[in-house]
């Protein structure tokens, strides 16, 4: 038996909450601005990023390579709690050392089907020590990648990756090297 349908937090242009709506009713050709998050997971040695390939059944960007996982906080749910919840739901992961990397990331992108993503989407990084057990309804493939290889892939074939990930990685390259996620991104500077 499934739980209640997922809701998203609607936002005004300044990022202030306006209310909530069912996720299934929000994403379309005129998607309103709403709150989301992205997370990048690194291994315990922090020398590889876990990438995922979106399931072919996903409504937007099916089969596209992207960051480890994304999601939407429920109304009144702190974003870090939502990140932990989604890590478990989508990939069976227990994450640790959660770090906010890009607090103000915002994007709008249109899928080939015409569906719009329009999100204020803080970006996090976390560490795992465990095995990945993806939910096949969400993820069709996982791949560990060295940062320099990911950067080479984004530069040569940006269309193979989600548009939000391409923009996020480009912003993360500029982060100070003290950031967990930027440890290897300075390789391509």
């Amino acid at each position: 038996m499934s739980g209640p349908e997922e809701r998203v937090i609607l936002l005004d242009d300044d990022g202030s909450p306006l209310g909530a709506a069912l996720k299934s009713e929000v994403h379309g050709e005129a998607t309103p601005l709403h709150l989301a998050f992205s997370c990048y997971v690194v291994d315990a040695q922090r020398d590889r990023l876990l990438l995922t390939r979106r399931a072919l059944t996903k409504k937007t960007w099916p089969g596209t390579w992207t960051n480890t996982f994304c999601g939407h906080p429920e109304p009144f749910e702190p974003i870090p709690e939502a990140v932990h919840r989604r890590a478990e739901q989508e990939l069976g992961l227990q994450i640790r050392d959660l770090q906010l990397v890009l607090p103000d990331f915002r994007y709008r992108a249109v899928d080939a089907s015409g569906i719009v993503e329009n999100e204020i989407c803080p970006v996090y990084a976390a560490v795992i020590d465990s095995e990945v057990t993806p939910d096949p309804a969400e993820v069709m493939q996982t791949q560990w990648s060295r940062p320099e290889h990911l950067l080479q892939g984004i530069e040569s074939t940006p269309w193979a990756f989600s548009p939000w990930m391409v923009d996020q990685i480009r912003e993360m390259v500029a982060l100070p090297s003290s950031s967990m996620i930027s440890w290897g991104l300075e390789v391509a500077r």
Side-chain angles (χ1 to χ4, degrees), residues 1-188:
M1 184 161 132
S2 64
E5 189 173 352
E6 188 177 356
R7 297 169 296 162
V8 300
I9 301 167
L10 302 176
L11 305 172
D12 67 16
D13 198 48
D14 294 329
S16 298
L18 293 173
L22 294 176
K23 179 182 169 187
S24 63
E25 295 175 2
V26 168
H27 292 88
E29 293 179 1
T31 302
L33 184 63
H34 60 280
L35 185 60
F37 61 82
S38 289
C39 188
Y40 291 79
V41 167
V42 297
D43 62 11
Q45 291 74 39
R46 298 185 182 181
D47 63 349
R48 299 179 304 166
L49 279 169
L50 180 62
L51 302 178
T52 57
R53 189 168 175 210
R54 294 169 62 83
L56 293 177
T57 55
K58 296 292 280 181
K59 189 173 182 179
T60 58
W61 286 274
T64 302
W65 285 98
T66 195
N67 56 289
T68 311
F69 63 94
C70 298
H72 302 89
E74 286 279 338
F76 307 108
E77 180 183 30
I79 296 177
E81 287 181 22
V83 174
H84 282 275
R85 172 181 52 81
R86 193 68 184 155
E88 174 66 33
Q89 289 173 341
E90 193 164 317
L91 295 162
L93 296 177
Q94 297 296 317
I95 59 175
R96 64 177 171 87
D97 300 336
L98 187 64
Q99 176 185 347
L100 181 58
V101 179
L102 296 174
D104 301 316
F105 183 76
R106 181 177 182 162
Y107 77 101
R108 184 180 185 282
V110 182
D111 182 70
S113 68
I115 295 174
V116 174
E117 281 288 4
N118 186 15
E119 299 178 336
I120 291 180
C121 184
V123 179
Y124 290 82
V127 176
I128 63 164
D129 307 287
S130 60
E131 292 297 315
V132 180
T133 54
D135 175 353
E138 298 287 340
V139 175
M140 66 183 288
Q141 191 174 353
T142 62
Q143 177 69 48
W144 286 102
S145 178
R146 297 274 310 145
E148 61 272 21
H149 298 152
L150 175 58
L151 288 166
Q152 290 167 359
I154 286 173
E155 291 306 314
S156 62
T157 59
W159 44 265
F161 301 94
S162 68
W164 59 89
M165 188 184 92
V166 170
D167 290 345
Q168 290 167 354
I169 292 292
R170 288 178 176 156
E171 286 189 32
M172 286 188 283
V173 166
L175 291 174
S177 60
S178 62
S179 170
M180 175 198 311
I181 199 72
S182 68
W183 83 101
L185 296 177
E186 65 271 358
V187 169

